[in-house]
Amino acid sequence: RWLFNQAVCTLYAFCGVLFGLCSLTSLTVLSTVCCLKVCYPAYGRCWDMLSDLYLTLCSVNITLVFSYGPDLGQPIPTPLAEWGSYGPEPYGTACCITWKASSREATLYILALFIFCYLLPCLLILISYSLIFWTVRVSRRAVRQH
């Protein structure tokens, strides 16, 4: 069973959602940048120039704010706007989002979380790596013909 009070449960679930979203965001950004560098080399050179400028002008704190700041938009509304709630998981050993929607707002929050924070990033990752695979395959055929 969950050994702590509701405040710790809420904090635990908030951190779990936030860090999970940050992880998926990192993978999405990585796949997109790789796709741009491999499939669109002209844009890849722009990314090199921008990344050099970015690294010289920005500190790690600013990088974290720009990379993970948008992810804060999903877990924060749950307890503040009461779109949904955090509570113990079905087995009761940890806390997460209460997936059984008790209201229309909770259903909309879960649907928005699924679409914008899971489905779209996964689709973008899938498209990025598919484009990379296709570009490498076409390049290999071109090299074989020469």
Side-chain angles (χ1 to χ4, degrees):
R1 70 179 178 84
W2 182 251
L3 299 176
F4 305 102
N5 61 11
Q6 182 60 33
V8 176
C9 179
T10 300
L11 179 65
Y12 179 87
F14 172 82
C15 289
V17 171
L18 176 65
F19 297 135
L21 291 176
C22 289
S23 176
L24 190 55
T25 299
S26 296
L27 293 172
T28 304
V29 169
L30 180 66
S31 70
T32 305
V33 170
C34 287
C35 181
L36 287 174
K37 288 180 144 306
V38 171
C39 301
Y40 307 100
Y43 292 117
R45 280 187 233 106
C46 280
W47 277 97
D48 287 340
M49 188 176 70
L50 287 175
S51 67
D52 291 342
L53 179 66
Y54 184 72
L55 290 174
T56 57
L57 295 177
C58 298
S59 67
V60 173
N61 293 333
I62 294 173
T63 304
L64 290 175
V65 167
F66 283 116
S67 297
Y68 300 126
D71 290 331
L72 285 170
Q74 286 299 327
I76 287 177
T78 302
L80 295 180
E82 296 181 7
W83 277 9
S85 62
Y86 295 130
E89 291 180 341
Y91 293 112
T93 56
C95 290
C96 68
I97 294 171
T98 305
W99 295 108
K100 288 186 179 182
S102 58
S103 67
R104 183 172 182 242
E105 290 82 13
T107 303
L108 289 174
Y109 174 75
I110 292 169
L111 190 61
L113 192 67
F114 175 72
I115 291 171
F116 295 110
C117 298
Y118 180 73
L119 195 61
L120 287 178
C122 287
L123 189 62
L124 190 58
I125 290 169
L126 182 67
I127 290 169
S128 296
Y129 284 117
S130 296
L131 282 171
I132 290 170
F133 177 73
W134 182 73
T135 301
V136 169
R137 191 172 183 183
V138 168
S139 297
R140 189 181 343 169
R141 284 183 185 166
V143 168
R144 283 184 184 168
Q145 289 178 352
H146 291 290

